[in-house]
Amino acid sequence: MRPVSANSSSGDLFKHAVLAVGSIFILLPFAVMIATSFKSPADIASGALRLFPTEYHGFANYAEALSATPLLRYMANGVIVTASIFALQLLVALPCAYALAKLKWRGRDTVFGLILFCLLIPPHAVAIPVYVLFYWLGILDSYTSLILPWTISVFGIFLMRQFFKTVPDDLIDAARMDGISEFGIVWRVMLPTALPAVTAFGIFSIIAHWNDYFWPLIVLSSEDYYTPPLGVATFRTAEVGYVFGPLMAAATIIIAPLVLTFLLAQRRFIEGITFTGMK
Amino acid sequence: MAEVQIRNVSKRFGTTTVLENASLTISKGEFVSLIGPSGCGKSTLLRIISGLEVQDTGQIVIGDRTVDDLRPSARNLAMVFQSYALYPHLNVASNIAMPLRMQRLNGFQRLPVIGRFLPGSATANDGIARQVRDAAEMLDISHLLERKPGQLSGGQRQRVAVGRALVRDPAAFLLDEPLSNLDAKLRVHMRTEIAQLHRRLKATFIYVTHDQVEAMTMSDRIAVMMDGDIIQVGTPDEVYDQPVDIRVAEFIGSPKINVVPVDIEAARGMAVLAGAASGVVTDPSAVSLGIRPEAITVSSSSGLAAGIVEHAENLGSEEYVQVRLDALPEIVITARAGHGTGWTRRIGSAAHVSFDGNRALAFDSAGRRVACRAYAPRHVGGKAVANG
Ligand SMILES: Nc1ncnc2c1ncn2[C@@H]1O[C@H](COP(=O)(O)OP(=O)(O)OP(=O)(O)O)[C@@H](O)[C@H]1O
Ligand SMILES: [Mg+2]
């Protein structure tokens, strides 16, 4: 709780000042990105620090972004991949979290310890072995290769387990008395109760996989499966060198869905984070 | 409804024994309270009956079927939890309907939207809706059917939880301290409602509580549990008047029974209380007498033992007077005095207490009840005692 003191308003002022400086620092690149996406090549090349374009070139940049590469195709790939990853992550994480939080079995704490340990393994460390494995399986350069490595989210299991711990045991017992099976409890009782946490996890997962550049770059060779970050990168390799206007327009287009999703889910997201005591 | 038998049930968690050979038979349509101090194993026993917990040894029999191998839902019991345990994301109607939907609809029929159009589900859903409405009407919550549990008061949630138990027409109702989260006034009200519900349904009720007033007022029989043992089963009167153990005597009754140490005079077997002959003859093994506050008379002039009025409480209908005995300064006797006796104005003054020898209870050193009776009523100073 916040202590009520005489100088709390000046304290608030200070806090807000710090936050304002921080948010300017974080938002400035985005502002520059959006501003650049409306500027003409000459304007960009002039190097002057200007927020608003001297000559409006937005339409041309966005048209270029959408026509020079199949950006919409890349975004559809992004939707397919991130949505599949999230759905499969839930399919795995919810039953696991339920078993870890609410069922009693020998070795449960050990297993949970191992799961926490897995949180420490960076995905880049196992990238090469997974790549080799997928090569042997012959599934490189496919949606499967983009989705499969991420279906088990240790973070998701951990987050949902922490949330499920707060669900009262009586509720689960009542469901058992009513005749709901254990899997039924996961989907029909725990999932609806845990929606804020699911939303929070969803945002983490979707942002991470929508923006992922590393893994698609490794497993993909054909442009058919390119996800938005790879697609944006193709601008840079165009023979004319850096075309910043269309590049920034493309970047703006691909982060727009993320920003919209976050704004829509914002309240539940914050609820989810505070609920699980992660804040 | 059905008879429920608990046969020699034992349960341990790790090294702690929670239930030790507990046996109890609850007849068809009976209202039995399980009562005892916190941690004595009441909830554990109830959960074993329901199948949510598995006993180590012993059997549970419902009707004439041993149910030990049945899942909780297959035992056809309904449970009302202390925390109500309503589904927070479902409205009241869906909460009440849940056990019926699970019983009567198959997995496909329960699917949202399309489930409603599958063969058979329309009739089943109509039947369920009708039963939900009937239950809601009976519990006076018809106007709340569309609300979520979060939008209800504690008492209303309680009714919804009872409604969910009610609709499935169970073999027995199991209630685990269902009233303990309600405020005092509502608790008294719901007590009456649950008792009336039991009379109307004529169903078997097993009611866990640690509130002896609830147990006394609602039950046909009370089972008193202590440390994982059912130590006495009887009607409220039996448990109150004829406790088999000092722990039962002390647990049942409010204010608590007075317990005073006594010596036994060898010649007549007379119990000697604070140096005075008490007028009660007991078994030689007795070490203490238990006397209920209403069996004690307090007087300012004469009595068996003298003391000082330490405190008095006026409840309007009666007064409770606490007297510290001169001869046994560690003992404070609580006596019930009549309406308007004015003891609250006499705190600190001298008083004398005496008691009705016919209502005394004697206990041995292990706390077991032993025989005792009034010896010679005329010896009891200052107190006219009815001849037993
Ligand atoms: N799952 C469990 N694991 C370990 N010990 C348990 C478990 N459940 C109950 N116990 C222990 O068993 C004993 C009896 O618990 P129980 O819940 O049956 O008590 P109770 O009589 O219902 O008490 P209260 O009136 O406080 O609800 C307690 O000492 C408790 O700590
Ligand atoms: Mg309990």
Side-chain angles (χ1 to χ4, degrees):
Chain A
M1 286 296 111
R2 187 156 42 123
V4 181
S5 64
N7 62 359
S8 84
S9 67
S10 70
D12 275 355
L13 204 65
F14 176 71
K15 262 188 271 176
H16 281 111
V18 170
L19 288 176
V21 171
S23 59
I24 287 173
F25 199 72
I26 291 166
L27 288 177
L28 202 60
F30 288 93
V32 170
M33 174 186 79
I34 293 169
T36 311
S37 75
F38 289 109
K39 288 181 183 173
S40 66
D43 220 353
I44 298 168
S46 78
L49 261 183
R50 231 182 281 119
L51 196 55
F52 295 100
T54 48
E55 171 195 359
Y56 178 76
H57 209 258
F59 184 77
N61 283 343
Y62 280 86
E64 168 80 12
L66 290 169
S67 60
T69 57
L71 195 59
L72 290 179
R73 168 77 203 248
Y74 298 158
M75 288 178 73
N77 285 343
V79 169
I80 291 169
V81 170
T82 42
S84 311
I85 288 177
F86 182 49
L88 291 170
Q89 280 177 336
L90 282 185
L91 208 61
V92 175
L94 288 175
C96 286
Y98 175 68
L100 286 168
K102 289 296 180 190
L103 300 180
K104 287 186 213 115
W105 39 281
R106 193 187 294 268
R108 180 179 72 169
D109 294 340
T110 320
V111 170
F112 185 58
L114 287 175
I115 286 175
L116 286 185
F117 177 73
C118 288
L119 272 177
L120 302 177
I121 303 175
H124 306 96
V126 291
I128 301 301
V130 174
Y131 178 87
V132 173
L133 181 70
F134 281 14
Y135 172 76
W136 282 113
L137 293 174
I139 55 171
L140 286 176
D141 200 23
S142 66
Y143 284 134
T144 318
S145 63
L146 288 176
I147 295 166
L148 200 59
W150 311 108
T151 48
I152 300 177
S153 164
V154 175
F155 173 69
I157 295 173
F158 172 72
L159 185 80
M160 297 318 295
R161 183 252 186 200
Q162 295 308 94
F163 192 90
F164 285 177
K165 276 265 173 204
T166 65
V167 174
D169 289 340
D170 277 359
L171 185 62
I172 294 162
D173 285 339
R176 287 184 183 137
M177 296 292 293
D178 284 349
I180 306 181
S181 67
E182 295 298 308
F183 273 106
I185 291 175
V186 173
W187 304 116
R188 304 166 47 131
V189 181
M190 301 306 269
L191 175 62
T193 344
L195 267 190
V198 170
T199 315
F201 171 47
I203 289 188
F204 281 127
S205 162
I206 288 169
I207 289 181
H209 297 294
W210 182 267
N211 288 338
D212 190 16
Y213 182 68
F214 174 75
W215 186 250
L217 185 65
I218 289 185
V219 291
L220 293 185
S221 44
S222 59
E223 289 199 1
D224 285 353
Y225 299 111
Y226 268 22
T227 54
L230 285 184
V232 170
T234 56
F235 275 95
R236 208 187 53 189
T237 56
E239 55 282 359
V240 277
Y242 294 108
V243 276
F244 278 115
L247 177 62
M248 290 300 123
T252 307
I253 292 171
I254 71 157
I255 69 154
L258 289 186
V259 174
L260 283 178
T261 321
F262 179 76
L263 289 181
L264 287 178
Q266 192 181 21
R267 244 191 54 217
R268 279 186 189 272
F269 176 66
I270 290 165
E271 258 173 37
I273 300 279
T274 36
F275 246 118
T276 49
M278 300 233 342
K279 201 174 138 189
Chain B
M1 81 201 96
E3 180 185 83
V4 177
Q5 284 180 49
I6 302 158
R7 291 189 189 153
N8 304 315
V9 166
S10 297
K11 174 76 184 174
R12 43 173 61 228
F13 288 113
T15 53
T16 48
T17 302
V18 177
L19 290 172
E20 185 75 64
N21 246 349
S23 295
L24 176 65
T25 299
I26 298 122
S27 0
K28 207 166 157 170
E30 196 179 23
F31 193 122
V32 169
S33 292
L34 296 177
I35 187 172
S38 190
C40 68
K42 308 180 293 288
S43 300
T44 306
L45 184 55
L46 205 65
R47 290 167 56 81
I48 288 174
I49 298 173
S50 71
L52 292 169
E53 203 83 65
V54 180
Q55 69 270 32
D56 297 333
T57 59
Q59 286 99 42
I60 302 294
V61 180
I62 297 174
D64 38 24
R65 170 124 170 55
T66 307
V67 295
D68 299 321
D69 52 345
L70 293 184
R71 281 179 296 118
S73 55
R75 299 187 181 193
N76 193 25
L77 300 168
M79 189 143 169
V80 177
F81 295 86
Q82 180 177 355
S83 60
Y84 318 134
L86 302 176
Y87 303 109
H89 58 290
L90 298 179
N91 68 14
V92 169
S94 312
N95 261 287
I96 298 178
M98 184 60 89
L100 296 181
R101 287 173 58 83
M102 296 307 299
Q103 268 174 3
R104 298 193 195 154
L105 302 179
N106 62 34
F108 295 108
Q109 290 171 325
R110 284 198 304 267
L111 288 174
V113 190
I114 49 168
R116 241 178 288 160
F117 300 105
L118 292 177
S121 69
T123 8
N125 274 319
D126 285 351
I128 292 171
R130 184 154 19 84
Q131 269 180 277
V132 169
R133 272 199 308 276
D134 290 350
E137 212 152 288
M138 190 183 223
L139 296 163
D140 204 16
I141 48 173
S142 303
H143 57 296
L144 304 173
L145 285 176
E146 295 306 317
R147 292 211 204 156
K148 295 270 174 73
Q151 301 164 309
L152 301 177
S153 73
Q156 291 168 335
R157 280 180 218 179
Q158 183 58 65
R159 281 164 210 257
V160 177
V162 172
R164 184 172 62 178
L166 204 68
V167 282
R168 59 188 300 175
D169 190 22
F173 286 89
L174 312 176
L175 301 97
D176 193 351
E177 308 200 25
L179 306 185
S180 58
N181 281 351
L182 303 179
D183 68 51
K185 205 171 152 200
L186 198 55
R187 197 148 63 212
V188 173
H189 179 76
M190 287 301 291
R191 205 160 79 197
T192 321
E193 284 205 356
I194 290 182
Q196 283 170 344
L197 193 68
H198 169 245
R199 278 197 292 274
R200 180 143 38 132
L201 299 174
K202 298 185 176 60
T204 312
F205 272 61
I206 307 176
Y207 186 98
V208 165
T209 177
H210 59 240
D211 180 345
Q212 48 105 11
V213 181
E214 277 175 24
M216 294 292 285
T217 51
M218 300 164 77
S219 322
D220 296 322
R221 283 191 305 154
I222 296 176
V224 187
M225 290 184 68
M226 298 273 167
D227 306 327
D229 238 350
I230 299 177
I231 53 178
Q232 185 169 9
V233 185
T235 63
D237 279 343
E238 279 166 12
V239 174
Y240 188 79
D241 293 329
Q242 307 294 335
V244 296
D245 193 292
I246 196 164
R247 292 173 295 171
V248 178
E250 288 189 319
F251 195 77
I252 306 283
S254 169
K256 220 164 115 175
I257 193 167
N258 296 290
V259 176
V260 285
V262 289
D263 298 319
I264 309 302
E265 195 183 72
R268 291 176 296 174
M270 170 75 77
V272 178
L273 194 168
S278 63
V280 173
V281 190
T282 70
D283 186 274
S285 63
V287 298
S288 58
L289 286 185
I291 309 144
R292 300 249 175 230
E294 66 270 21
I296 295 198
T297 335
V298 53
S299 143
S300 47
S301 47
S302 62
L304 178 70
I308 301 289
V309 179
E310 193 165 87
H311 185 64
E313 283 177 337
N314 185 356
L315 301 188
S317 59
E318 62 210 357
E319 286 180 21
Y320 285 101
V321 191
Q322 291 179 0
V323 179
R324 192 176 286 279
L325 298 183
D326 292 341
L328 290 169
E330 72 280 6
I331 300 281
V332 176
I333 299 285
T334 305
R336 191 173 80 186
H339 164 75
T341 38
W343 282 99
T344 43
R345 292 190 299 278
R346 283 183 270 169
I347 292 171
S349 64
H352 299 266
V353 292
S354 26
F355 67 93
D356 178 350
N358 289 306
R359 298 210 42 197
L361 306 165
F363 300 97
D364 69 10
S365 57
R368 274 187 303 269
R369 173 98 177 280
V370 293
C372 84
R373 64 188 162 84
Y375 171 62
R378 63 186 175 281
H379 282 210
V380 181
K383 167 75 178 142
V385 169
N387 273 307

